[in-house]
Amino acid sequence: MWKEENNQLQRSFEFNNFVEAFAFMTKVAFAAEKMGHHPNWTNVYNKVNIQLSTHNANNTITEKDIQLAKEIDAIFNKG
């Protein structure tokens, strides 16, 4: 579940292993590039942490972030 914190949408995702986490990140990267809106994220082994905010809107949450979060959820739910 996404949460709002520090003017960002934040969510953590956990996978069975690094390969699954990396595959997820790859799919998210293509979706983000298509939208022209890119996440701040970190990956350690099977965990991916994502923070979304719009830099050119003073680092606040905008409709772009909400749409990317929905796309990320769809990617995650497809597994």
Side-chain angles (χ1 to χ4, degrees), residues 2-11 37-40 50-66:
W2 292 93
K3 64 180 179 178
E4 277 190 45
E5 191 172 296
N6 299 322
N7 292 323
Q8 297 178 330
L9 288 177
Q10 299 184 14
R11 183 167 178 193
H37 192 59
H38 305 93
N40 291 324
I50 300 177
Q51 301 85 33
L52 302 174
S53 65
T54 302
H55 305 295
N56 60 0
N58 295 321
N59 293 315
T60 60
I61 298 168
T62 67
E63 186 61 30
K64 286 182 177 184
D65 303 301
I66 294 166

Side-chain angles (χ1 to χ4, degrees), residues 13-15 17-18 21 25 42-49:
F13 298 87
E14 189 167 336
F15 301 89
N17 54 50
F18 175 74
M25 292 178 71
T42 59
N43 165 243
V44 177
Y45 182 59
N46 68 332
K47 294 184 175 95
V48 177
N49 298 307

